Amino acid sequence: MSRNRSSLQHAANTLGALSLVIADRMNAAVEPIAALGPSAPAALTALHEFLDGGSVTQLSSVLGLTHSGTVRLVDRLAVEGLVERVGAQDGRAVSVVLTESGRGMAERILRARETSLTNALSALSADQIDTLAAALDAMLTTVTHARAEERAVGTRARPQPWLCRLCDFAACGRSEGNCPVNNATTDRS
């Protein structure tokens, strides 16, 4: 086996292990804040960052949940006073809107997420972080393009949740045009 192939396999293997550890730590940091199941943090942050006033159908698409599963999640969030259902202007749809309490919880979730993720980077120098950031942007661009291709040709059995469902849009620089996922999506449309 060539050294290059061995390096690729090693990098892929360690990326897989690291991805699981980081996801586990991030989920352990954010899930207890809402204490309403694993989809609640993503729902609250998606509503906070870009979907406030969106429909249950839109939230379902973002989370990758069934419509009925999303309705049950919104029911739980509403009982806790984190969201409200508001009739849309056309009278046919219902919008899901964060309450003040829900907005505060979403902000706490985002802070816990950031702390969890920055702790994972603590062993790296500033130069290593810059190099990693560039590599991660390239990887996210590639993944975003692949997901768009899968959707275009219909090769996915069920919809995948959005990559940015638990994202901090300010941190990724979305409004400044620095978000690799948004840029990859915009480039392909």
Side-chain angles (χ1 to χ4, degrees), residues 49-50 110 164-165 167-176 179:
E49 292 294 307
F50 63 92
L110 287 169
C164 299
R165 67 191 176 279
C167 217
D168 178 342
F169 281 25
C172 79
R174 186 179 178 100
S175 62
E176 294 85 25
C179 173

Side-chain angles (χ1 to χ4, degrees), residues 79-155:
V79 165
E80 296 297 321
L82 302 171
V83 300
E84 294 177 337
R85 289 180 172 93
V86 178
Q89 290 179 346
D90 67 5
R92 294 180 294 166
V94 173
S95 297
V96 181
V97 179
L98 283 174
T99 63
E100 187 175 324
S101 178
R103 189 161 306 287
M105 184 172 288
E107 290 168 358
R108 287 193 308 278
I109 289 166
L110 287 169
R111 284 193 303 272
R113 174 188 176 273
E114 178 184 13
T115 299
S116 172
L117 296 173
T118 56
N119 285 343
L121 298 171
S122 65
L124 301 179
S125 70
D127 287 343
Q128 289 172 319
I129 289 172
D130 289 344
T131 300
L132 178 61
L136 293 171
D137 283 356
M139 292 169 71
L140 277 169
T141 298
T142 299
V143 168
T144 302
H145 286 171
R147 287 171 66 127
E149 284 296 317
E150 289 172 351
R151 278 194 300 277
V153 297
T155 58

Side-chain angles (χ1 to χ4, degrees), residues 1 5 24-25 49 65 67 72 97 112 131 138 146 165:
M1 183 182 317
R5 175 76 177 145
D24 289 346
R25 286 183 177 179
E49 292 294 307
L65 296 175
H67 185 78
R72 288 189 301 274
V97 179
T131 300
R165 67 191 176 279

